[in-house]
Amino acid sequence: GDVRVMVATNAFGLGIDKPDIRFVLHTQLPPNLDAYYQEAGRAGRDGKASSCVLIYFYEDRRLRQFLQLGRYPAAEDVVAVLNALRSIDLQQGTEGSRVSAKVLAERLPIAKTKVQVAVHLLKQVGAVTQNRKRELRLIKPLDDADVRKLTDEYRDRDESDRSALESMEFYARTGYCRWKVLLEHFNESDSFERCGGCDNCVDPPSAQPLKAEYTTA
């Protein structure tokens, strides 16, 4: 209770269970409404009035899109990782040669995050192993058909992330009651149209949207 203000990452939504938090201020757009609700939901657990504020700029969407762009690997990225591991085997003249994840990422012209996810995917299907030194070894080659089958799931996740971001942005920009929007997202919508407590209920927005919008629920 001695610290009045804390700056935190989104891990705040998972690790804080303090009952008397009076406000949560988001300075960036969360990736989806589930994350926002979890993080904002740290406030007011003692049942007393609290403020949850989201500072939203349209440019925030670009940052989220950029982060999502490098998150999931395409089939071509996984094939590139496999080919790089095969190439290292040929160079060292030993099948199943080990290489660090860092060296592997440096050899490839794709984002490091994509390399990491591709390696994780290959480890899951037993095509690649990794020891305690984080050295990688190719133990089971995969053909293109196998790789595309593996990456179909990530393609679906990418589409889901895009849809979730659109819902988050709608919440930030909407003129409707924010509690109603949240409840509809979780399929728990009640019969009310306005909660009477969010910014859109207390002070309905004008017809002309502002460049920067400050939302509270």
Short mmCIF file of all heavy atoms in Angstrom, two decimals, residues 71-79 81-82 85 113-130 136 138 140 142-155 157:
data_model
loop_
_atom_site.label_atom_id
_atom_site.label_comp_id
_atom_site.label_asym_id
_atom_site.label_seq_id
_atom_site.Cartn_x
_atom_site.Cartn_y
_atom_site.Cartn_z
N ARG A 71 4.45 -12.24 -36.28
CA ARG A 71 4.20 -13.20 -35.22
C ARG A 71 4.17 -14.65 -35.69
O ARG A 71 4.74 -15.53 -35.06
CB ARG A 71 2.88 -12.86 -34.53
CG ARG A 71 2.64 -13.64 -33.25
CD ARG A 71 1.42 -13.13 -32.53
NE ARG A 71 1.25 -13.79 -31.25
CZ ARG A 71 0.25 -13.56 -30.42
NH1 ARG A 71 -0.66 -12.67 -30.74
NH2 ARG A 71 0.15 -14.20 -29.28
N TYR A 72 3.49 -14.91 -36.79
CA TYR A 72 3.30 -16.28 -37.24
C TYR A 72 4.06 -16.56 -38.53
O TYR A 72 4.02 -15.76 -39.46
CB TYR A 72 1.81 -16.57 -37.45
CG TYR A 72 0.98 -16.39 -36.20
CD1 TYR A 72 -0.12 -15.54 -36.19
CD2 TYR A 72 1.30 -17.06 -35.02
CE1 TYR A 72 -0.88 -15.37 -35.05
CE2 TYR A 72 0.54 -16.89 -33.87
CZ TYR A 72 -0.54 -16.04 -33.90
OH TYR A 72 -1.29 -15.87 -32.76
N PRO A 73 4.71 -17.69 -38.62
CA PRO A 73 5.47 -18.01 -39.83
C PRO A 73 4.58 -18.57 -40.92
O PRO A 73 3.61 -19.28 -40.66
CB PRO A 73 6.45 -19.07 -39.34
CG PRO A 73 5.70 -19.79 -38.26
CD PRO A 73 4.85 -18.74 -37.58
N ALA A 74 4.92 -18.26 -42.16
CA ALA A 74 4.27 -18.88 -43.30
C ALA A 74 4.99 -20.19 -43.62
O ALA A 74 6.07 -20.47 -43.08
CB ALA A 74 4.30 -17.94 -44.51
N ALA A 75 4.41 -20.98 -44.50
CA ALA A 75 5.04 -22.24 -44.88
C ALA A 75 6.44 -22.00 -45.42
O ALA A 75 7.37 -22.78 -45.16
CB ALA A 75 4.17 -22.96 -45.91
N GLU A 76 6.61 -20.89 -46.17
CA GLU A 76 7.92 -20.58 -46.75
C GLU A 76 8.97 -20.34 -45.66
O GLU A 76 10.14 -20.66 -45.83
CB GLU A 76 7.81 -19.36 -47.66
CG GLU A 76 6.96 -19.57 -48.91
CD GLU A 76 5.47 -19.56 -48.62
OE1 GLU A 76 5.07 -19.15 -47.51
OE2 GLU A 76 4.70 -19.98 -49.50
N ASP A 77 8.54 -19.75 -44.53
CA ASP A 77 9.47 -19.49 -43.43
C ASP A 77 9.94 -20.79 -42.78
O ASP A 77 11.12 -20.95 -42.46
CB ASP A 77 8.81 -18.60 -42.37
CG ASP A 77 8.36 -17.26 -42.93
OD1 ASP A 77 9.10 -16.71 -43.78
OD2 ASP A 77 7.30 -16.78 -42.53
N VAL A 78 9.02 -21.74 -42.60
CA VAL A 78 9.38 -23.03 -42.01
C VAL A 78 10.31 -23.79 -42.94
O VAL A 78 11.29 -24.40 -42.50
CB VAL A 78 8.12 -23.85 -41.69
CG1 VAL A 78 8.50 -25.22 -41.11
CG2 VAL A 78 7.22 -23.10 -40.73
N VAL A 79 10.01 -23.75 -44.23
CA VAL A 79 10.88 -24.41 -45.22
C VAL A 79 12.27 -23.79 -45.19
O VAL A 79 13.29 -24.49 -45.28
CB VAL A 79 10.28 -24.31 -46.64
CG1 VAL A 79 11.29 -24.76 -47.69
CG2 VAL A 79 9.01 -25.15 -46.73
N VAL A 81 13.79 -22.44 -42.62
CA VAL A 81 14.48 -22.94 -41.42
C VAL A 81 15.00 -24.36 -41.66
O VAL A 81 16.14 -24.69 -41.32
CB VAL A 81 13.54 -22.90 -40.20
CG1 VAL A 81 14.16 -23.62 -39.01
CG2 VAL A 81 13.23 -21.45 -39.82
N LEU A 82 14.16 -25.21 -42.26
CA LEU A 82 14.58 -26.58 -42.55
C LEU A 82 15.77 -26.60 -43.50
O LEU A 82 16.74 -27.35 -43.31
CB LEU A 82 13.41 -27.36 -43.16
CG LEU A 82 12.30 -27.78 -42.20
CD1 LEU A 82 11.09 -28.29 -42.97
CD2 LEU A 82 12.79 -28.84 -41.22
N LEU A 85 18.98 -25.64 -41.75
CA LEU A 85 19.53 -26.73 -40.94
C LEU A 85 20.17 -27.79 -41.82
O LEU A 85 21.22 -28.35 -41.47
CB LEU A 85 18.41 -27.35 -40.09
CG LEU A 85 17.88 -26.46 -38.95
CD1 LEU A 85 16.62 -27.07 -38.34
CD2 LEU A 85 18.95 -26.27 -37.89
N THR A 113 11.45 -13.39 -34.73
CA THR A 113 10.27 -13.95 -34.09
C THR A 113 9.68 -15.09 -34.91
O THR A 113 9.21 -16.09 -34.36
CB THR A 113 9.20 -12.88 -33.87
OG1 THR A 113 8.95 -12.20 -35.12
CG2 THR A 113 9.64 -11.87 -32.84
N LYS A 114 9.72 -14.94 -36.24
CA LYS A 114 9.21 -16.00 -37.11
C LYS A 114 10.09 -17.24 -37.04
O LYS A 114 9.59 -18.36 -37.07
CB LYS A 114 9.10 -15.50 -38.55
CG LYS A 114 7.98 -14.52 -38.80
CD LYS A 114 7.85 -14.19 -40.27
CE LYS A 114 6.68 -13.25 -40.51
NZ LYS A 114 6.51 -12.94 -41.94
N VAL A 115 11.39 -17.02 -36.94
CA VAL A 115 12.31 -18.16 -36.81
C VAL A 115 12.01 -18.91 -35.51
O VAL A 115 11.96 -20.14 -35.48
CB VAL A 115 13.78 -17.69 -36.82
CG1 VAL A 115 14.73 -18.86 -36.55
CG2 VAL A 115 14.12 -17.05 -38.17
N GLN A 116 11.79 -18.16 -34.45
CA GLN A 116 11.52 -18.78 -33.14
C GLN A 116 10.23 -19.60 -33.18
O GLN A 116 10.19 -20.72 -32.66
CB GLN A 116 11.43 -17.69 -32.06
CG GLN A 116 12.76 -17.01 -31.78
CD GLN A 116 12.61 -15.82 -30.85
OE1 GLN A 116 11.53 -15.22 -30.74
NE2 GLN A 116 13.68 -15.45 -30.17
N VAL A 117 9.19 -19.05 -33.79
CA VAL A 117 7.92 -19.78 -33.87
C VAL A 117 8.05 -20.99 -34.78
O VAL A 117 7.52 -22.07 -34.50
CB VAL A 117 6.78 -18.86 -34.36
CG1 VAL A 117 5.49 -19.64 -34.49
CG2 VAL A 117 6.59 -17.71 -33.39
N ALA A 118 8.79 -20.83 -35.89
CA ALA A 118 9.01 -21.96 -36.80
C ALA A 118 9.75 -23.09 -36.11
O ALA A 118 9.41 -24.27 -36.26
CB ALA A 118 9.77 -21.49 -38.04
N VAL A 119 10.77 -22.75 -35.32
CA VAL A 119 11.53 -23.76 -34.58
C VAL A 119 10.62 -24.44 -33.56
O VAL A 119 10.66 -25.67 -33.41
CB VAL A 119 12.75 -23.11 -33.88
CG1 VAL A 119 13.36 -24.08 -32.86
CG2 VAL A 119 13.79 -22.71 -34.91
N HIS A 120 9.80 -23.65 -32.88
CA HIS A 120 8.87 -24.23 -31.89
C HIS A 120 7.92 -25.22 -32.56
O HIS A 120 7.65 -26.31 -32.03
CB HIS A 120 8.08 -23.11 -31.22
CG HIS A 120 7.03 -23.60 -30.27
ND1 HIS A 120 7.33 -24.17 -29.05
CD2 HIS A 120 5.66 -23.63 -30.37
CE1 HIS A 120 6.22 -24.51 -28.43
NE2 HIS A 120 5.20 -24.20 -29.21
N LEU A 121 7.45 -24.85 -33.75
CA LEU A 121 6.54 -25.72 -34.49
C LEU A 121 7.22 -27.02 -34.89
O LEU A 121 6.65 -28.10 -34.76
CB LEU A 121 6.04 -24.98 -35.73
CG LEU A 121 4.96 -25.64 -36.58
CD1 LEU A 121 3.69 -25.82 -35.76
CD2 LEU A 121 4.66 -24.82 -37.82
N LEU A 122 8.46 -26.92 -35.35
CA LEU A 122 9.22 -28.11 -35.76
C LEU A 122 9.57 -29.00 -34.57
O LEU A 122 9.63 -30.22 -34.69
CB LEU A 122 10.49 -27.68 -36.50
CG LEU A 122 10.25 -27.01 -37.86
CD1 LEU A 122 11.55 -26.41 -38.39
CD2 LEU A 122 9.69 -28.01 -38.86
N LYS A 123 9.78 -28.38 -33.42
CA LYS A 123 10.04 -29.16 -32.20
C LYS A 123 8.79 -29.94 -31.78
O LYS A 123 8.88 -31.08 -31.32
CB LYS A 123 10.50 -28.24 -31.07
CG LYS A 123 11.92 -27.74 -31.21
CD LYS A 123 12.21 -26.57 -30.29
CE LYS A 123 11.97 -26.89 -28.84
NZ LYS A 123 12.25 -25.72 -27.97
N GLN A 124 7.64 -29.33 -31.95
CA GLN A 124 6.39 -29.98 -31.55
C GLN A 124 6.13 -31.26 -32.33
O GLN A 124 5.57 -32.21 -31.78
CB GLN A 124 5.21 -29.01 -31.75
CG GLN A 124 5.08 -27.95 -30.66
CD GLN A 124 3.83 -27.12 -30.83
OE1 GLN A 124 3.47 -26.74 -31.94
NE2 GLN A 124 3.14 -26.84 -29.74
N VAL A 125 6.53 -31.28 -33.60
CA VAL A 125 6.26 -32.46 -34.44
C VAL A 125 7.46 -33.40 -34.49
O VAL A 125 7.46 -34.37 -35.24
CB VAL A 125 5.86 -32.04 -35.87
CG1 VAL A 125 4.57 -31.25 -35.84
CG2 VAL A 125 6.97 -31.24 -36.55
N GLY A 126 8.49 -33.11 -33.68
CA GLY A 126 9.63 -34.00 -33.60
C GLY A 126 10.61 -33.93 -34.75
O GLY A 126 11.43 -34.84 -34.94
N ALA A 127 10.54 -32.85 -35.54
CA ALA A 127 11.48 -32.70 -36.65
C ALA A 127 12.80 -32.09 -36.19
O ALA A 127 13.85 -32.29 -36.82
CB ALA A 127 10.87 -31.82 -37.74
N VAL A 128 12.77 -31.35 -35.08
CA VAL A 128 13.96 -30.68 -34.56
C VAL A 128 14.01 -30.89 -33.04
O VAL A 128 12.98 -30.90 -32.36
CB VAL A 128 13.91 -29.16 -34.87
CG1 VAL A 128 15.00 -28.40 -34.13
CG2 VAL A 128 14.04 -28.93 -36.37
N THR A 129 15.20 -31.07 -32.53
CA THR A 129 15.40 -31.14 -31.08
C THR A 129 16.28 -29.98 -30.64
O THR A 129 17.02 -29.40 -31.45
CB THR A 129 16.07 -32.46 -30.66
OG1 THR A 129 17.36 -32.56 -31.27
CG2 THR A 129 15.21 -33.65 -31.06
N GLN A 130 16.23 -29.66 -29.35
CA GLN A 130 17.04 -28.57 -28.78
C GLN A 130 17.56 -29.01 -27.43
O GLN A 130 16.79 -29.49 -26.58
CB GLN A 130 16.19 -27.31 -28.65
CG GLN A 130 16.97 -26.06 -28.25
CD GLN A 130 16.10 -24.82 -28.27
OE1 GLN A 130 14.91 -24.86 -28.00
NE2 GLN A 130 16.69 -23.69 -28.61
N LEU A 136 20.22 -26.45 -31.77
CA LEU A 136 19.20 -27.14 -32.55
C LEU A 136 19.82 -28.24 -33.40
O LEU A 136 20.96 -28.14 -33.86
CB LEU A 136 18.47 -26.14 -33.45
CG LEU A 136 17.82 -24.96 -32.73
CD1 LEU A 136 17.36 -23.92 -33.74
CD2 LEU A 136 16.65 -25.42 -31.88
N LEU A 138 18.48 -31.06 -36.57
CA LEU A 138 17.45 -31.60 -37.44
C LEU A 138 17.49 -33.13 -37.37
O LEU A 138 18.52 -33.74 -37.63
CB LEU A 138 17.68 -31.14 -38.89
CG LEU A 138 16.70 -31.67 -39.94
CD1 LEU A 138 15.29 -31.15 -39.66
CD2 LEU A 138 17.15 -31.27 -41.34
N LYS A 140 14.40 -35.07 -38.38
CA LYS A 140 13.41 -35.67 -39.29
C LYS A 140 13.02 -34.65 -40.35
O LYS A 140 12.30 -33.70 -40.07
CB LYS A 140 12.17 -36.11 -38.51
CG LYS A 140 11.13 -36.83 -39.39
CD LYS A 140 9.96 -37.32 -38.55
CE LYS A 140 9.06 -36.17 -38.16
NZ LYS A 140 7.83 -36.63 -37.48
N LEU A 142 11.06 -32.86 -43.39
CA LEU A 142 9.65 -32.79 -43.75
C LEU A 142 9.52 -32.32 -45.19
O LEU A 142 10.32 -31.51 -45.65
CB LEU A 142 8.90 -31.82 -42.83
CG LEU A 142 8.90 -32.11 -41.33
CD1 LEU A 142 8.19 -30.98 -40.59
CD2 LEU A 142 8.23 -33.43 -41.03
N ASP A 143 8.52 -32.84 -45.91
CA ASP A 143 8.31 -32.36 -47.27
C ASP A 143 7.37 -31.15 -47.23
O ASP A 143 6.81 -30.79 -46.19
CB ASP A 143 7.74 -33.46 -48.17
CG ASP A 143 6.42 -34.02 -47.66
OD1 ASP A 143 5.66 -33.28 -47.00
OD2 ASP A 143 6.14 -35.22 -47.91
N ASP A 144 7.19 -30.51 -48.38
CA ASP A 144 6.41 -29.27 -48.44
C ASP A 144 4.96 -29.48 -47.99
O ASP A 144 4.37 -28.60 -47.35
CB ASP A 144 6.43 -28.71 -49.87
CG ASP A 144 7.80 -28.16 -50.24
OD1 ASP A 144 8.66 -28.08 -49.33
OD2 ASP A 144 8.00 -27.81 -51.41
N ALA A 145 4.39 -30.63 -48.33
CA ALA A 145 3.00 -30.89 -47.95
C ALA A 145 2.85 -30.95 -46.42
O ALA A 145 1.89 -30.42 -45.86
CB ALA A 145 2.52 -32.20 -48.57
N ASP A 146 3.81 -31.59 -45.76
CA ASP A 146 3.77 -31.67 -44.30
C ASP A 146 3.89 -30.28 -43.67
O ASP A 146 3.20 -29.95 -42.70
CB ASP A 146 4.91 -32.55 -43.78
CG ASP A 146 4.72 -34.01 -44.13
OD1 ASP A 146 3.56 -34.43 -44.27
OD2 ASP A 146 5.72 -34.72 -44.28
N VAL A 147 4.77 -29.45 -44.23
CA VAL A 147 4.98 -28.12 -43.70
C VAL A 147 3.72 -27.27 -43.84
O VAL A 147 3.32 -26.57 -42.90
CB VAL A 147 6.17 -27.44 -44.41
CG1 VAL A 147 6.25 -25.96 -44.02
CG2 VAL A 147 7.47 -28.14 -44.06
N ARG A 148 3.09 -27.33 -44.99
CA ARG A 148 1.89 -26.52 -45.20
C ARG A 148 0.76 -26.95 -44.28
O ARG A 148 -0.03 -26.12 -43.81
CB ARG A 148 1.44 -26.60 -46.67
CG ARG A 148 2.43 -25.92 -47.60
CD ARG A 148 1.87 -25.67 -48.97
NE ARG A 148 2.83 -24.97 -49.79
CZ ARG A 148 3.02 -23.66 -49.76
NH1 ARG A 148 2.31 -22.90 -48.94
NH2 ARG A 148 3.93 -23.09 -50.53
N LYS A 149 0.67 -28.23 -44.00
CA LYS A 149 -0.34 -28.71 -43.07
C LYS A 149 -0.10 -28.14 -41.68
O LYS A 149 -1.04 -27.77 -40.96
CB LYS A 149 -0.30 -30.24 -43.03
CG LYS A 149 -1.37 -30.86 -42.15
CD LYS A 149 -1.31 -32.37 -42.19
CE LYS A 149 -2.38 -33.00 -41.30
NZ LYS A 149 -2.34 -34.47 -41.34
N LEU A 150 1.17 -28.04 -41.28
CA LEU A 150 1.51 -27.51 -39.96
C LEU A 150 1.19 -26.02 -39.85
O LEU A 150 0.76 -25.55 -38.80
CB LEU A 150 2.99 -27.73 -39.67
CG LEU A 150 3.45 -29.17 -39.45
CD1 LEU A 150 4.96 -29.22 -39.33
CD2 LEU A 150 2.81 -29.74 -38.20
N THR A 151 1.42 -25.29 -40.91
CA THR A 151 1.26 -23.83 -40.85
C THR A 151 -0.18 -23.38 -41.06
O THR A 151 -0.48 -22.20 -40.84
CB THR A 151 2.17 -23.14 -41.89
OG1 THR A 151 1.91 -23.70 -43.19
CG2 THR A 151 3.63 -23.34 -41.54
N ASP A 152 -1.06 -24.28 -41.47
CA ASP A 152 -2.46 -23.89 -41.65
C ASP A 152 -3.05 -23.39 -40.33
O ASP A 152 -3.84 -22.44 -40.30
CB ASP A 152 -3.29 -25.08 -42.15
CG ASP A 152 -3.12 -25.29 -43.65
OD1 ASP A 152 -2.57 -24.39 -44.31
OD2 ASP A 152 -3.52 -26.36 -44.14
N GLU A 153 -2.67 -24.02 -39.21
CA GLU A 153 -3.18 -23.61 -37.91
C GLU A 153 -2.74 -22.18 -37.58
O GLU A 153 -3.53 -21.38 -37.05
CB GLU A 153 -2.68 -24.55 -36.82
CG GLU A 153 -3.13 -24.16 -35.43
CD GLU A 153 -2.53 -25.04 -34.34
OE1 GLU A 153 -1.88 -26.05 -34.70
OE2 GLU A 153 -2.69 -24.71 -33.16
N TYR A 154 -1.51 -21.84 -37.90
CA TYR A 154 -1.01 -20.49 -37.63
C TYR A 154 -1.68 -19.46 -38.52
O TYR A 154 -1.90 -18.32 -38.11
CB TYR A 154 0.50 -20.45 -37.79
CG TYR A 154 1.22 -21.07 -36.62
CD1 TYR A 154 1.52 -22.42 -36.60
CD2 TYR A 154 1.58 -20.31 -35.52
CE1 TYR A 154 2.16 -22.99 -35.52
CE2 TYR A 154 2.22 -20.86 -34.43
CZ TYR A 154 2.50 -22.21 -34.43
OH TYR A 154 3.12 -22.77 -33.35
N ARG A 155 -2.03 -19.87 -39.74
CA ARG A 155 -2.75 -18.96 -40.62
C ARG A 155 -4.12 -18.62 -40.02
O ARG A 155 -4.56 -17.48 -40.04
CB ARG A 155 -2.93 -19.61 -41.99
CG ARG A 155 -3.66 -18.72 -43.02
CD ARG A 155 -4.00 -19.50 -44.26
NE ARG A 155 -4.88 -20.62 -43.92
CZ ARG A 155 -5.13 -21.64 -44.73
NH1 ARG A 155 -4.55 -21.70 -45.91
NH2 ARG A 155 -5.95 -22.61 -44.36
N ARG A 157 -4.83 -18.68 -36.84
CA ARG A 157 -4.59 -17.82 -35.68
C ARG A 157 -4.39 -16.37 -36.12
O ARG A 157 -4.84 -15.44 -35.45
CB ARG A 157 -3.37 -18.30 -34.92
CG ARG A 157 -3.56 -19.60 -34.16
CD ARG A 157 -2.34 -19.90 -33.31
NE ARG A 157 -2.38 -21.21 -32.71
CZ ARG A 157 -1.45 -21.69 -31.91
NH1 ARG A 157 -0.39 -20.94 -31.62
NH2 ARG A 157 -1.56 -22.91 -31.41
#
